Amino acid sequence: MINLPDIRQNFTDIKEQVEQKVFHPYLLKYIEKPVIDEDKLLILVSIMDRLELSYNELKNYTMTTMLIQIALDTHEHISNANVDEKNRQLTVLAGDYYSGLYYKLLADSENIIMIKELSKGIKEVNEHKVSVYQKELNGIDNLMTSIKKIESSLLVKFSECFKLDLWNEFIANLFFFKRLLEEKNLFMEARSSYVFEYMKDITIPNKHLKIKNLSDKQQSDLLVICDRYLDSSKQFLLKGISQLPYLNDMLEARITSIINEHQPIAKTLVEEG
């Protein structure tokens, strides 16, 4: 039987300790508050809950992984943010600062296997980020594969470190689904999604056409492509919910909530029509 209060308490305690590490008063005067992906934290706490680890081990391993995830997210924010040079430099330093905290915690743990696996995850994330942001990929499938790797490689390597490979594809699809849903919402609300910009470049011959000037048909075509990948991941997640062992109620409720945020564009158009 899964002790949900323990999972909820561990999640809350570790989240607070991560916040204490990353919400540096000086940095927060000049840069945006770093985003802590609570869903990734919940996954980490949940998959470790069944392992025979002390609370200190669970806390240390979870915090190290979250800190490097925050560092990667902070560095990625530089590519998208319209900020002045001082803020840009501070954002770079903030990412480096979070990385330093991560390496300090890992060194203290003396877990050589985890150091190697998470290093592989960092390398994989950065390689795929370069491919995406330098627009080196050919085809929508390759773009989507890279987005999936960017969003999940670190957690997949963490899972592999503890021989929990059963979680790998589920983790990959969950955070790919979540990122793609965010990009879709950005596109529909503000026409500002980098992923949709890249999809446009791949699928529309006119490279000089700006995303905000797409016709209704062109916008709809991009949304249909996006929905195809969302629907595929959704089916995988629905199947996984019933098959994954030890899926606690807190995590299952959150996954279900994320899945339910997806409203296929075809259905939306029918309802609006």
Side-chain angles (χ1 to χ4, degrees):
M1 180 176 179
I2 298 174
N3 193 336
L4 183 57
D6 283 351
I7 292 173
R8 195 180 299 279
Q9 189 62 55
N10 287 341
F11 170 83
T12 301
D13 290 347
I14 294 172
K15 178 175 177 285
E16 289 176 354
Q17 292 182 61
V18 171
E19 289 174 344
Q20 290 173 8
K21 292 284 187 182
V22 301
F23 292 167
H24 192 287
Y26 178 77
L27 289 174
L28 294 182
K29 287 171 59 178
Y30 297 100
I31 68 171
E32 292 182 21
K33 181 183 290 187
V35 175
I36 298 172
D37 191 326
E38 295 186 12
D39 295 320
K40 290 183 177 177
L41 175 57
L42 180 56
I43 281 280
L44 291 171
V45 172
S46 296
I47 65 179
M48 296 186 71
D49 181 69
R50 304 301 297 182
L51 301 176
E52 295 181 358
L53 299 172
S54 67
Y55 171 74
N56 283 337
E57 288 175 317
L58 183 149
K59 178 188 71 173
N60 197 358
Y61 296 151
T62 304
M63 285 183 66
T64 56
T65 308
M66 287 305 300
L67 285 170
I68 198 60
Q69 183 67 62
I70 293 167
L72 290 167
D73 292 343
T74 301
H75 282 146
E76 182 174 358
H77 178 71
I78 301 165
S79 302
N80 301 323
N82 183 20
V83 297
D84 60 36
E85 187 58 30
K86 180 177 181 180
N87 282 19
R88 185 177 297 276
Q89 291 175 355
L90 282 169
T91 304
V92 172
L93 289 173
D96 293 343
Y97 169 69
Y98 305 144
S99 296
L101 294 175
Y102 149 79
Y103 284 116
K104 172 68 166 59
L105 284 170
L106 265 190
D108 290 345
S109 76
E110 298 182 347
N111 190 325
I112 303 302
I113 294 175
M114 177 172 278
I115 292 172
K116 288 181 177 178
E117 289 302 316
L118 292 184
S119 295
K120 291 177 187 176
I122 295 167
K123 181 174 181 288
E124 196 167 76
V125 169
N126 285 329
E127 286 175 349
H128 283 278
K129 280 185 180 179
V130 169
S131 296
V132 170
Y133 288 102
Q134 297 297 323
K135 295 191 174 180
E136 298 173 349
L137 301 167
N138 295 316
I140 298 292
D141 282 345
N142 290 332
L143 170 62
M144 295 303 177
T145 295
S146 283
I147 296 298
K148 184 179 286 188
K149 292 290 186 181
I150 290 168
E151 291 302 315
S152 64
S153 285
L154 196 67
L155 268 66
V156 167
K157 293 301 180 186
F158 178 93
S159 173
E160 289 177 352
C161 183
F162 290 99
K163 311 299 182 186
L164 300 170
D165 296 8
L166 185 63
W167 282 86
N168 292 357
E169 282 300 313
F170 189 86
I171 289 171
N173 276 278
L174 175 62
F175 292 106
F176 171 67
F177 183 91
K178 184 180 173 183
R179 172 66 182 272
L180 206 52
L181 198 59
E182 290 170 356
E183 295 291 336
K184 178 184 175 181
N185 290 335
L186 280 172
F187 176 68
M188 294 183 71
E189 293 170 7
R191 302 287 184 269
S192 62
S193 161
Y194 186 87
V195 172
F196 272 76
E197 181 79 41
Y198 202 162
M199 288 167 58
K200 172 190 73 68
D201 289 348
I202 292 172
T203 59
I204 298 174
N206 183 357
K207 303 302 180 186
H208 300 292
L209 180 64
K210 296 186 180 298
I211 196 167
K212 64 181 180 180
N213 296 327
L214 293 176
S215 68
D216 290 346
K217 171 70 163 56
Q218 290 167 327
Q219 293 175 33
S220 179
D221 288 346
L222 291 179
L223 288 166
V224 167
I225 292 170
C226 178
D227 278 351
R228 189 171 73 241
Y229 288 92
L230 283 169
D231 290 338
S232 176
S233 284
K234 177 180 178 179
Q235 294 308 312
F236 187 95
L237 293 172
L238 289 171
K239 184 177 179 181
I241 286 176
S242 63
Q243 293 181 343
L244 277 175
Y246 318 126
L247 191 65
N248 63 72
D249 291 344
M250 184 179 178
L251 179 58
E252 183 174 346
R254 179 55 190 150
I255 293 167
T256 302
S257 175
I258 293 171
I259 291 172
N260 289 339
E261 290 178 29
H262 173 41
Q263 182 82 341
I265 187 63
K267 182 178 179 182
T268 303
L269 292 173
V270 168
E271 290 174 350
E272 291 179 350

